[in-house]
Each structure stands twice: as C-alpha cells, then as structure tokens.
Amino acid sequence: LASYCRIACVRIGRFAIGALTGGTSERRNGGRSGAEPPSVVFTDVRGKPRIVATDAEAARRGVACGMALTQAKALASDLVALPWDDERISRAALEVTTALLAASPRVAWGGGALRVGASARLPTADGAWWVDAAGLGDEAKLARKLLRIARGLGYGPVRVGVADAAIAAYAATHDGDDRRGGGEAAPQ
C-alpha cells in the first residue's frame, strides 16, 4: 500500500530581518506601523561583507542581496546593517516551530543556510517550515490556522502551501511576485 503524504510549507518572507530586528515594525511598535530606516543583514562572502537579506524599505531603495555593504550604504545613507547571527535566528526559528506545533504534531524548520555551488554556503533571507498535513482534516482550514499562527508571531509576511511533496508545497508559497510578500494560504 502506498502511504498518504501531504506536506504544508509555511514560508516567512524576510525572516532573517524579522529575527534580527525583533519582528516587523508593527510587532516592535506595539501594533503601530511607522517609518523606520531600511535594514539589511550582511555576512562575509569570500572575505567581503555582502548583503544576504533586505527589508522592504531597503529593497525599495535599490539595495539587493549579493550587493557589497558599502554599495548598499551608498544607496541608503541611513541603512541599519545587522551581521548574520546564527544564534538569534535559531532562537526565532524555535519560537516559530513551537508555535506551529499547535496545528500539527510534526513540524521541522528548513534551516538557515542554502548551499550554493560545490562549497559555498550563504544564509537565506526567508524562513521555511515543513508541517505534516496528512490526516489532519480539512487542508484549507489547516492552511488558514498555520497562516494565523505564523502571522501572529510578526516575523514577516507569511505564505502557506499544501501539496503531495515538499518542493510542490514550497512552490505553492510563491506567487511570481515575492516583492509584495503577501500572506495567502494555497492548498494544491
């Protein structure tokens, strides 16, 4: 007999920024949004500080991942540059993982690094969690619950996808224009 497999992917856009700054501006300001300076996360790539994550304001000003930190500062003089911090990002990921356990007994964080090429490892800006969705009832309801839980944590824009395979669930969290960072539940 073939086993039934359904996997949800919860993707928090700009998770690294949210984890290192304490969440979205609404979370930091008690529910009020307000103008804040642009923020980026950087790390050394081959001995040079490079941008690995941007918030929406930095992106609006033309700052992009892979850009040299000095170039980013030239585009945004009030830029807040935060060094990549594995420990803080891992603590925030544990908070998300623990919260998502309210929706499913099996949740795993996708990790905080992406392998690029044969040996280089670069941090990822988004956070992804894999949630076992098999046998939990109405998938649309589960997706809405996951969306509500993750949004409530305030680390960034959230998207949820549910599918037969992890890669398909992850693909369902992309709408072709991730600059908006929406927040939709999309069972496939």
Side-chain angles (χ1 to χ4, degrees), residues 8-107:
C9 176
V10 176
R11 185 171 58 89
I12 301 178
R14 305 184 192 280
F15 176 71
I17 289 283
L20 294 176
T21 62
T24 61
S25 61
E26 290 81 10
R27 177 178 170 166
R28 290 189 305 273
N29 297 327
R32 302 176 315 275
S33 52
E36 292 190 7
S39 298
V40 298
V41 177
F42 70 93
T43 193
D44 277 357
V45 177
R46 295 183 186 99
K48 296 184 181 184
R50 297 278 178 184
I51 305 301
V52 294
T54 68
D55 69 1
E57 180 59 25
R60 271 192 288 278
R61 295 194 195 180
V63 178
C65 291
M67 183 178 283
L69 181 57
T70 53
Q71 183 181 4
K73 287 181 177 181
L75 291 171
S77 61
D78 57 342
L79 188 70
V80 175
L82 305 162
W84 181 267
D85 184 334
D86 281 327
E87 186 176 325
R88 287 178 64 195
I89 291 170
S90 293
R91 277 195 312 264
L94 179 59
E95 179 186 9
V96 174
T97 303
T98 302
L100 294 176
L101 286 169
S104 173
R106 295 190 342 185
V107 177

Side-chain angles (χ1 to χ4, degrees), residues 91-140:
R91 277 195 312 264
L94 179 59
E95 179 186 9
V96 174
T97 303
T98 302
L100 294 176
L101 286 169
S104 173
R106 295 190 342 185
V107 177
W109 178 39
L114 171 68
R115 185 167 296 283
V116 178
S119 61
R121 289 177 59 86
L122 293 177
T124 60
D126 290 352
W129 284 260
W130 308 111
V131 179
D132 184 357
L136 295 178
D138 183 0
E139 288 181 359

Side-chain angles (χ1 to χ4, degrees), residues 106-182:
R106 295 190 342 185
V107 177
W109 178 39
L114 171 68
R115 185 167 296 283
V116 178
S119 61
R121 289 177 59 86
L122 293 177
T124 60
D126 290 352
W129 284 260
W130 308 111
V131 179
D132 184 357
L136 295 178
D138 183 0
E139 288 181 359
K141 185 176 178 181
L142 173 65
R144 287 190 301 273
K145 182 174 185 176
L146 292 168
L147 189 62
R148 186 175 55 254
I149 291 168
R151 277 185 177 161
L153 296 171
Y155 283 116
V158 179
R159 296 185 69 79
V160 175
V162 182
D164 292 332
I167 193 66
Y170 183 77
T173 67
H174 289 75
D175 67 354
D177 186 7
D178 280 327
R179 292 171 300 188
R180 288 183 302 151

